Amino acid sequence: MSVKEGWKGRFFEDFELGDIYPHPLGRTVLTVDNSWFTLLTQNTAPIHFDHHYSAQTEFGKPLVDSTFTLALVTGQSVTDISQNVMANLGWDKVKLPNPVFEGDTIYSQSEVLDKRESKSRDNVGIVTVKTTGFNQDGVVVITFERVLMVYRRGCAPAIARIVLDKTP
């Protein structure tokens, strides 16, 4: 038996301007996701958790907490964008053009907008991406730009790996 290395994510050198990375995993938003996230963040807006209240709005049903949408789509991008991040420097231009509802499945992709050397650190570079989240019908539900400090190849901290010997 041989050990096969898994995907280690992109390093600074791997990013190219204009590259688009369709992120591999979609995620269906459940009622419990919306309830728990609303509770965790102490968001008291009833449109997120009160079905009777939200039925009386123009949407007719609960809206998913928009910060959940931001967190979910950011998380979906990690495997391609920030697996090897030193620091997330911020989100900018966050837009929520269409609502997300419980039961929607969210997918996402990111485009590399900028890449530059760090002026203060030689072990990282700065990458800017635009990430777009969309639902099962292809309707865009969120866009944002994100700036990250990404490790250069060979400069990231080592991840401990334990390989169990299966020989008798």
Side-chain angles (χ1 to χ4, degrees):
M1 175 177 87
S2 62
V3 176
K4 306 286 186 191
E5 286 289 327
W7 172 245
K8 292 184 178 184
R10 288 182 175 81
F11 292 93
F12 177 70
E13 296 85 353
D14 300 319
F15 290 93
E16 297 292 334
L17 293 180
D19 280 355
I20 296 175
Y21 309 123
H23 305 308
L25 300 176
R27 168 91 156 51
T28 301
V29 180
L30 307 174
T31 299
V32 70
D33 298 324
N34 199 22
S35 296
W36 273 107
F37 204 82
T38 300
L39 289 168
L40 287 169
T41 59
Q42 296 182 339
N43 182 337
T44 59
I47 197 161
H48 300 305
F49 58 84
D50 183 330
H51 285 244
H52 175 72
Y53 173 90
S54 58
Q56 300 171 66
T57 70
E58 67 181 271
F59 304 107
K61 55 188 173 182
L63 292 177
V64 170
D65 184 320
S66 57
T67 57
F68 175 83
T69 305
L70 177 63
L72 172 61
V73 173
T74 298
Q76 287 177 331
S77 73
V78 168
T79 191
D80 291 311
I81 302 299
S82 57
Q83 190 71 37
N84 295 303
V85 69
M86 172 191 263
N88 188 45
L89 300 178
W91 288 265
D92 195 16
K93 301 179 184 173
V94 178
K95 305 276 188 219
L96 302 153
N98 292 291
V100 174
F101 298 105
E102 297 166 356
D104 281 348
T105 301
I106 305 302
Y107 302 93
S108 60
Q109 67 179 32
S110 295
E111 177 183 358
V112 180
L113 299 179
D114 191 40
K115 172 186 172 177
R116 67 173 178 84
E117 306 289 327
S118 171
K119 295 175 185 164
S120 61
R121 300 170 189 261
D122 59 2
N123 62 335
V124 296
I126 310 299
V127 177
T128 302
V129 297
K130 178 181 180 182
T131 300
T132 302
F134 47 93
N135 69 17
Q136 67 280 351
D137 299 319
V139 175
V140 174
V141 296
I142 189 169
T143 61
F144 56 86
E145 290 183 14
R146 189 167 162 221
V147 181
L148 311 117
M149 280 184 140
V150 181
Y151 283 111
R152 292 179 174 282
R153 185 171 280 100
C155 295
I159 296 174
R161 302 253 193 252
I162 299 172
V163 179
L164 301 176
D165 184 1
K166 301 288 185 183
T167 57

